[in-house]
């Protein structure tokens, strides 16, 4: 491996922190280190920085600054939103609707809610990963209080038709929550237009620091949630505890950069992804998952028939990619997303996700195509 070129193609997992973000954060570790809740000049400076970041993030997704609550990440925000909303509205009903291809941050929280007595409907998806909008409408009952569907899938990049979903859900007087984590910074998002009631997202997917995320709560729609974590009055008591000021400052700066660069960068990355997919489809028995659907400009999920997935990933050790699977207790499991789309375990385990970002170049794409093609053909016993 020494001296061998290494290419990062896992930007959906995490992104490097933009140097401009790092530079903005640094003073808040040393010079401006105050607690944002402290009633003196150091605290006021920190509080001002937090509110400035809240404004920058609100600008990226077009919402009010009062609708943003900071958290440690999208997973915590999912827990705060789901538990807080469902407990607050339990008197209205105990039924929630979600989808089988949601992120584990949502699915695992749904399982916890089921243990607390809530009923959860998990919508099926078709071979491309789409839900049936008629099934969604028919699944809503008088007991339904919330529909939770992600905007863009983290594994396939598929984008759900959220405007249509919103009309269906709100016509039934039910609230709508969405995990918008993978979409933020990659495609334009207008929360006023989408009219979501709750949304969650994270900093480290948009070249900001890890350990900070946000929960959006629609004030116009009068959405309220009960506190689920206790110990202070910070963030309107929804997420108490000392604020991560440097992280929040970095989150805000990353959002501001994304606001100005998203259009040009998305076009550049889409061109690279199109070339990547066009070249990889030249490999025999290769399928781009969700290819016919509206997808994120940076995400490719590809399946290679009749190869052993474990060998593929080990041979591609100079490419940072995702296998489209989860590793739990050292046991590799087939992706729940791909299985929900109808792929069997063998094919799901022979699938990889490549996600591009601001550091991806044409040279990277050419190198990745060469390495993947050579490795797949070798595993199939094809001599090139």
């Amino acid at each position: 491996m020494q001296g061998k070129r290494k290419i990062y193609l896992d930007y959906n997992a995490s992104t490097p922190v933009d140097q401009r973000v790092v530079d903005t954060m640094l003073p808040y570790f040393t010079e401006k280190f105050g607690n944002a809740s402290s009633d003196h000049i150091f605290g006021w400076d920190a509080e001002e920085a937090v509110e400035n970041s809240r404004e920058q993030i609100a600008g990226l997704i077009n919402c009010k600054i009062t609708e943003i609550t900071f958290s440690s990440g999208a997973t915590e925000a999912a827990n705060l939103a789901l538990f807080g909303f469902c407990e607050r509205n339990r008197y209205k009903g105990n039924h929630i609707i979600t989808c089988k291809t949601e992120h584990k941050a949502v699915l695992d929280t749904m399982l916890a809610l089921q243990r607390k007595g809530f009923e959860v409907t998990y919508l099926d998806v078709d071979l491309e990963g789409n839900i049936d909008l008629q099934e969604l409408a028919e699944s809503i009952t008088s007991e339904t209080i919330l529909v939770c569907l992600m905007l863009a899938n983290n594994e396939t990049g598929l984008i759900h038709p959220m405007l249509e979903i919103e009309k269906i859900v709100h016509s039934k007087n039910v609230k709508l929550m969405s995990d918008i984590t993978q979409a933020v910074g990659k495609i334009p998002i207008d929360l006023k237009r989408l009219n979501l009631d709750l949304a969650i997202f994270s900093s480290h997917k948009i070249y900001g620091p890890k350990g900070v995320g946000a929960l959006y709560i629609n004030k116009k729609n009068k959405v309220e949630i009960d506190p689920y974590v206790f110990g202070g009055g910070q963030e309107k008591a929804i997420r108490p505890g000392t604020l991560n000021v440097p992280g929040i400052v970095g989150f805000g700066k990353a959002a501001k950069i994304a606001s100005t660069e998203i259009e040009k960068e998305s076009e550049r990355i889409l061109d690279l992804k199109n070339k990547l997919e066009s070249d990889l489809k030249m490999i025999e028995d290769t399928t781009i998952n969700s290819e016919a659907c509206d997808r994120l400009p940076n995400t490719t999920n590809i399946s290679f028939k009749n190869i052993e997935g474990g060998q593929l990933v080990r041979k591609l050790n100079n490419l940072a990619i995702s296998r489209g699977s989860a590793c739990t207790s050292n046991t590799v499991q087939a992706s729940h997303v791909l299985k929900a789309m109808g792929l069997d375990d063998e094919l799901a385990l022979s699938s990889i996700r490549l996600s591009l970002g601001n550091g991806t170049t044409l040279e990277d794409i050419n190198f990745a195509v060469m390495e993947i093609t050579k490795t797949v053909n070798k595993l199939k016993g094809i001599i090139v």
Side-chain angles (χ1 to χ4, degrees):
M1 283 289 292
Q2 188 157 358
K4 197 170 185 180
R5 186 176 182 184
K6 300 176 184 178
I7 305 297
Y8 188 78
L9 293 172
D10 202 18
Y11 285 85
N12 281 11
S14 193
T15 60
V17 181
D18 190 298
Q19 186 60 50
R20 293 169 289 181
V21 172
V22 174
D23 293 342
T24 304
M25 293 173 64
L26 285 177
Y28 293 89
F29 288 105
T30 53
E31 304 164 28
K32 303 178 180 182
F33 57 86
N35 187 324
S37 298
S38 295
D39 192 21
H40 50 62
I41 186 61
F42 288 87
W44 300 334
D45 283 347
E47 182 184 22
E48 182 179 356
V50 167
E51 294 312 308
N52 180 60
S53 294
R54 209 186 303 269
E55 184 175 355
Q56 291 171 324
I57 294 163
L60 175 61
I61 58 177
N62 192 26
C63 70
K64 298 177 181 177
I65 60 174
T66 55
E67 296 175 320
I68 297 293
T69 297
F70 289 115
S71 67
S72 66
T75 296
E76 184 188 33
N79 279 263
L80 293 172
L82 287 168
F83 279 109
F85 179 86
C86 291
E87 291 292 356
R88 176 72 172 230
N89 294 278
R90 194 164 196 163
Y91 71 96
K92 296 180 181 178
N94 74 333
H95 181 226
I96 312 160
I97 298 173
T98 189
C99 178
K100 291 181 178 179
T101 55
E102 291 289 309
H103 192 279
K104 287 293 186 180
V106 166
L107 292 178
D108 286 353
T109 308
M110 291 292 179
L111 291 174
L113 285 166
Q114 285 181 276
R115 291 193 290 270
K116 292 174 71 70
F118 287 91
E119 179 187 348
V120 181
T121 295
Y122 298 90
L123 298 175
D124 290 317
V125 296
D126 62 18
L127 297 177
E128 295 287 344
N130 295 295
I131 63 168
D132 184 328
L133 295 182
Q134 184 174 343
E135 181 187 0
L136 167 62
E138 292 173 351
S139 297
I140 298 174
T141 73
S142 60
E143 289 292 308
T144 307
I145 55 174
L146 183 68
V147 171
C148 181
L149 294 168
M150 69 196 325
L151 179 55
N153 189 272
N154 55 298
E155 291 195 28
T156 65
L158 177 136
I159 299 172
H160 283 304
M162 199 56 66
L163 288 173
E164 297 176 61
I165 290 169
E166 182 271 330
K167 290 178 183 177
I168 293 170
V169 173
H170 284 154
S171 72
K172 304 279 190 175
N173 199 29
V174 173
K175 298 301 184 185
L176 176 61
M177 172 179 163
S178 184
D179 174 1
I180 63 173
T181 305
Q182 288 296 345
V184 172
K186 297 185 180 81
I187 58 174
I189 293 177
D190 184 339
L191 288 186
K192 287 184 180 178
R193 181 167 178 258
L194 290 177
N195 199 27
L196 300 174
D197 297 294
L198 296 160
I200 59 170
F201 54 107
S202 189
S203 163
H204 75 106
K205 308 292 188 180
I206 62 168
Y207 309 96
K210 297 176 179 63
V212 59
L215 165 62
Y216 161 80
I217 305 174
N218 190 323
K219 298 298 182 184
K220 178 177 70 71
N221 292 359
K222 296 181 171 55
V223 180
E224 295 182 345
I225 67 174
D226 280 344
Y228 187 64
V229 181
F230 303 92
Q234 295 93 340
E235 294 301 276
K236 299 175 285 294
I238 293 172
R239 202 278 184 175
T242 303
L243 290 174
N244 174 9
V245 177
I248 290 170
V249 167
F251 192 3
K253 181 64 173 181
K256 184 178 180 180
I257 292 170
S259 296
T260 59
E261 298 182 358
I262 183 172
E263 184 176 350
K264 184 177 180 180
E265 186 63 9
S266 293
E267 289 179 2
R268 184 188 74 86
I269 289 175
L270 178 59
D271 287 342
L272 292 176
K273 186 189 80 167
N274 288 340
K275 175 172 175 50
L276 173 70
E277 293 185 350
S278 176
D279 289 352
L280 289 179
K281 283 195 294 184
M282 300 296 291
I283 302 172
E284 187 178 357
D285 292 328
T286 295
T287 303
I288 306 292
N289 294 307
S290 302
E291 182 179 13
C293 303
D294 189 15
R295 287 181 292 149
L296 293 174
N298 80 314
T299 306
T300 294
N301 192 295
I302 186 165
S303 299
F304 303 100
K305 193 174 181 181
N306 298 324
I307 67 167
E308 204 284 303
Q311 290 186 32
L312 174 63
V313 172
R314 286 191 293 273
K315 295 289 186 182
L316 293 174
N317 55 14
N318 54 337
L319 300 180
I321 57 177
S322 168
R323 191 173 174 181
S325 60
C327 296
T328 306
S329 301
N330 297 319
T331 302
V332 178
Q333 300 174 338
S335 159
H336 72 282
V337 172
L338 298 182
K339 289 188 69 175
M341 291 166 57
L343 277 68
D344 60 26
D345 280 6
E346 182 180 3
L347 189 56
L349 287 168
S350 297
S351 305
I352 58 174
R353 180 190 70 186
L354 302 100
S355 46
L356 285 52
N358 66 5
T360 309
T361 65
L362 178 59
E363 290 73 23
D364 293 338
I365 296 301
N366 289 334
F367 181 78
V369 168
M370 179 183 69
E371 289 291 297
I372 293 170
T373 302
K374 179 177 65 177
T375 302
V376 171
N377 285 336
K378 186 175 181 180
L379 290 174
K380 289 184 175 184
I382 299 174
I383 300 175
V384 180

